[in-house]
Each structure stands twice: as C-alpha cells, then as structure tokens.
C-alpha cells in the first residue's frame, strides 16, 4: 500500500509583529493510484494555535513564532497530528478496500414459518 500525504491547503494567521500565531492546515492522504482497485483518498484538517491554554490554566507552546516565509513543508507537517491521521486512514482503507462490508441480498421467496 503506497500512501502519499500532501499538504493541500494551509492558511497562516499573522500577529501584529508579522509572525504566524495560528495555522489552518489540510492534508490529503492517497492510497495507491487513481484508477487502481485499491485507490482511496481522505482529507484531514486541523487548526494549530501557537499556544494552547490547558484546563488547569497552564500554557503549552506548540511552535515558535516566526514569519510565514520561514516555514517549510516539514515544519508544517511536524505540527499536524500525523500519527493520529495515519491510524484513521489505515482504518478507513481497511474498512473500505481491504475488508469492505458484505452486501446482503433479500430473499423475497421466504415464507413465514407457521
């Protein structure tokens, strides 16, 4: 199963210092090639803030503030929940391609037993 992952959309939000303090990122997963019987695609999205306030009031820093032009594809992938998306995509492929649900067929000749 050849899976490709591609960031297909990313929108930076800049603060007053022209540094990115929030990203909206969309990543598309593709299994095999279009037209193959095992082809499957799914798109995931996330919004990542530079800092997150936890329920206990503490703050978690998710990434260092920097200008949007300083970001690389690898930097963007690194702030995405890729391992979670990998698991979901593998499950989707398994349920749709590897082990699709069996279609039931009606038995219209069935008679109710007496």
């Amino acid at each position: 199963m050849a899976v490709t992952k591609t960031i297909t959309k990313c929108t930076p939000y800049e603060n007053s210092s022209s540094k990115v303090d929030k990203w909206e990122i969309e990543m598309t997963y593709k299994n095999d090639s279009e037209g193959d019987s095992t082809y499957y695609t799914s798109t995931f999205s996330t919004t990542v803030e530079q800092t997150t306030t936890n329920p206990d009031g503490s703050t978690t820093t998710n990434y260092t503030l920097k200008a949007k032009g300083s970001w690389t594809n690898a930097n963007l992938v690194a702030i995405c929940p890729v391992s979670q998306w990998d698991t979901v995509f593998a499950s989707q492929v398994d349920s749709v391609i590897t082990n699709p649900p069996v279609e039931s067929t009606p038995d219209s000749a069935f008679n109710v037993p007496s």
Side-chain angles (χ1 to χ4, degrees):
M1 169 168 86
V3 176
T4 58
K5 306 171 204 174
T6 307
I7 292 179
T8 49
K9 181 181 176 187
C10 59
T11 305
Y13 289 74
E14 295 176 299
N15 63 19
S16 59
S17 301
S18 297
K19 307 286 184 185
V20 178
D21 61 6
K22 181 168 94 171
W23 281 101
E24 288 181 357
I25 303 171
E26 187 174 277
M27 185 180 288
T28 299
Y29 280 54
K30 290 183 182 179
N31 180 55
D32 294 331
S33 299
E34 196 167 351
D36 291 348
S37 63
T38 55
Y39 177 73
Y40 186 77
T41 184
S42 189
T43 302
F44 300 92
S45 62
T46 188
T47 299
V48 184
E49 306 253 359
Q50 194 263 334
T51 59
T52 305
T53 302
N54 302 310
D56 65 1
S58 63
T59 302
T60 300
T61 301
N62 296 313
Y63 58 84
T64 304
L65 289 172
K66 58 184 176 180
K68 65 183 174 190
S70 299
W71 286 80
T72 65
N73 188 69
N75 295 144
L76 294 167
V77 169
I79 64 172
C80 291
V82 174
S83 61
Q84 178 186 359
W85 292 347
D86 288 351
T87 300
V88 172
F89 186 73
S91 175
Q92 290 173 337
V93 169
D94 182 60
S95 65
V96 173
I97 301 295
T98 311
N99 298 300
V102 177
E103 296 268 340
S104 60
T105 54
D107 181 358
S108 53
F110 178 76
N111 290 318
V112 177
S114 34

